[in-house]
Amino acid sequence: MEDKSQYGRMLKKENLRNTSHRQSILEALEASKEPVSAETLYLTLREKGISISMSTVYRALDVLAEKNIIVKTDFTDNNKSLFEIKREEHRHHLVCVKCRSVIPVMECPFHEYARALERQFGFSITGHKLEMYGYCRKCSESMDKSGNAP
Amino acid sequence: MEDKSQYGRMLKKENLRNTSHRQSILEALEASKEPVSAETLYLTLREKGISISMSTVYRALDVLAEKNIIVKTDFTDNNKSLFEIKREEHRHHLVCVKCRSVIPVMECPFHEYARALERQFGFSITGHKLEMYGYCRKCSESMDKSGNAP
DNA sequence: GTGCAAATGCGAATCAGTCGCATTAAGGAG
DNA sequence: CTCCTTAATGCGACTGATTCGCATTTGCAC
């Protein structure tokens, strides 16, 4: 999504006005390699010299998530929601429970599984979220050295 | 887990005192077929005539989740956390985005996938959470009738 | 039984997220 | 380009789940 006018089209398609704030938010999310919190996003924008309020950030994130342009995620921890742009392929995440780093993962082998569950329960699955917890390479190594088992 | 003294052993093993409140909480979670919120649990206990405070419920749930005796889950919605007892086999969930019903699912076909990711990223996976969203049978049907697409 | 750290109760505090309302600005019509 | 409607925004107050401080109680090792 290098072409920024693309955002305008996406917003229009959803009957959302193409405001400069929404543009900035989408650009910031696009630029971010990992999911960010509303607050982080707010601070990022302020740093860029953009004058915006928290309410607007929250409201924009809500409506964008509702329209499926971005994805809202809740990693169990500090009970803060994180947001990321919806890319071509959806992603899953490896979350390090120690240093809290997040590694995005592209592959998703769950389509057959989902199909089977739909048949079994008469449930129509429209989306899913998979998060995996554990220790990233660095944290496992540092614990090995210090003698603490993961 | 019919044998309630089992709880005592589990707690002791984690260096937690075997208090009557923790017993009650574990029993209530054991009895519940689906994940419950702290508040629901609190009310359930009060109804049973157990005098307990919200802080205690929260604190007990926290420590039990930390010790891996129960599981804390955040379904994106009303930003309330849900808790359930950790059973033999872990579960996944089908969450209806309309009526909010939750269907637990036993099967978990992800072990190979997890293994592959561990190799690929040097990440040591200790747990995972999969939630699937969509429309349960009842809600899809009622929407079909009313003409609203899911 | 005694002693002491862990657990609890209570109410105050925190803090992400929401809301009401007045103001501003998209963007379609003319 | 200007006008007009209405969505979007800012601000500050508010909410509601969760946490915290501190005094009191209770489990349990000895």
Side-chain angles (χ1 to χ4, degrees):
Chain A
M1 185 88 48
E2 308 75 28
D3 179 7
K4 287 172 183 175
S5 76
Q6 197 68 30
Y7 294 140
R9 257 170 272 150
M10 292 169 74
L11 293 169
K12 182 160 214 170
K13 192 172 146 215
E14 300 292 348
N15 292 313
L16 296 177
R17 288 186 181 172
N18 178 23
T19 70
S20 65
H21 284 156
R22 285 176 183 162
Q23 288 269 351
S24 313
I25 287 174
L26 287 170
E27 282 169 28
L29 289 176
E30 183 75 43
S32 170
K33 272 180 283 303
E34 22 170 63
V36 294
S37 68
E39 195 187 2
T40 304
L41 182 55
Y42 171 74
L43 293 174
T44 306
L45 295 174
R46 303 292 289 200
E47 267 173 31
K48 286 201 211 167
I50 296 166
S51 159
I52 191 172
S53 75
M54 276 299 288
S55 336
T56 302
V57 173
Y58 275 111
R59 277 191 280 230
L61 290 173
D62 273 359
V63 72
L64 292 172
E66 189 186 313
K67 298 298 189 180
N68 243 16
I69 296 172
I70 66 176
V71 182
K72 180 177 182 179
T73 323
D74 296 276
F75 297 126
T76 48
D77 193 46
N78 47 1
N79 67 349
K80 256 186 188 172
S81 294
L82 301 182
F83 301 83
E84 65 182 324
I85 198 107
K86 191 150 192 171
R87 309 183 193 261
E88 284 305 293
E89 356 61 27
H90 75 214
R91 296 178 172 189
H92 296 309
H93 294 98
L94 295 168
V95 182
C96 180
V97 298
K98 187 137 187 275
C99 68
R100 282 285 132 194
S101 64
V102 177
I103 301 173
V105 175
M106 299 301 187
E107 298 142 74
C108 175
F110 304 117
H111 296 100
E112 308 153 38
Y113 177 60
R115 253 349 80 61
L117 291 177
E118 290 192 316
R119 262 179 270 123
Q120 184 178 351
F121 294 100
F123 193 103
S124 156
I125 296 174
T126 58
H128 69 262
K129 200 172 76 179
L130 172 68
E131 283 148 30
M132 285 154 285
Y133 301 94
Y135 296 87
C136 68
R137 193 191 305 267
K138 219 184 289 182
C139 287
S140 336
E141 282 169 5
S142 72
M143 280 184 304
D144 287 350
K145 265 178 253 161
S146 71
N148 299 324
Chain B
M1 184 89 47
E2 307 75 28
D3 180 6
K4 287 170 183 177
S5 75
Q6 198 67 30
Y7 293 139
R9 257 170 271 150
M10 292 169 74
L11 294 169
K12 182 159 213 171
K13 191 171 146 215
E14 300 292 349
N15 292 313
L16 298 176
R17 288 188 181 169
N18 178 23
T19 70
S20 64
H21 284 154
R22 285 176 182 162
Q23 288 268 351
S24 313
I25 287 174
L26 288 169
E27 283 169 29
L29 289 177
E30 182 76 43
S32 169
K33 273 181 282 302
E34 21 171 63
V36 293
S37 68
E39 194 187 3
T40 305
L41 181 55
Y42 171 74
L43 293 173
T44 306
L45 295 174
R46 302 293 288 202
E47 267 173 30
K48 285 200 210 167
I50 296 166
S51 161
I52 191 172
S53 76
M54 276 299 288
S55 336
T56 302
V57 172
Y58 274 110
R59 277 191 279 230
L61 290 172
D62 273 358
V63 72
L64 292 172
E66 189 185 313
K67 297 298 189 181
N68 242 17
I69 295 171
I70 67 176
V71 182
K72 180 179 183 180
T73 323
D74 296 278
F75 297 125
T76 48
D77 193 46
N78 47 3
N79 68 348
K80 257 185 187 173
S81 294
L82 301 182
F83 300 83
E84 65 183 324
I85 198 109
K86 192 149 192 171
R87 307 180 195 265
E88 284 305 294
E89 357 62 28
H90 76 212
R91 295 178 174 190
H92 297 309
H93 294 99
L94 295 169
V95 182
C96 180
V97 298
K98 187 137 189 274
C99 69
R100 283 284 130 194
S101 63
V102 177
I103 303 173
V105 176
M106 299 300 188
E107 297 144 74
C108 176
F110 305 119
H111 296 99
E112 309 153 37
Y113 178 60
R115 249 356 75 60
L117 291 177
E118 291 192 315
R119 261 178 272 123
Q120 184 178 351
F121 293 101
F123 193 103
S124 156
I125 296 175
T126 58
H128 69 262
K129 198 172 76 178
L130 172 70
E131 283 148 30
M132 286 156 284
Y133 302 93
Y135 296 88
C136 68
R137 194 191 306 266
K138 221 185 287 181
C139 287
S140 336
E141 283 169 6
S142 72
M143 281 183 304
D144 287 350
K145 265 178 254 162
S146 70
N148 298 324

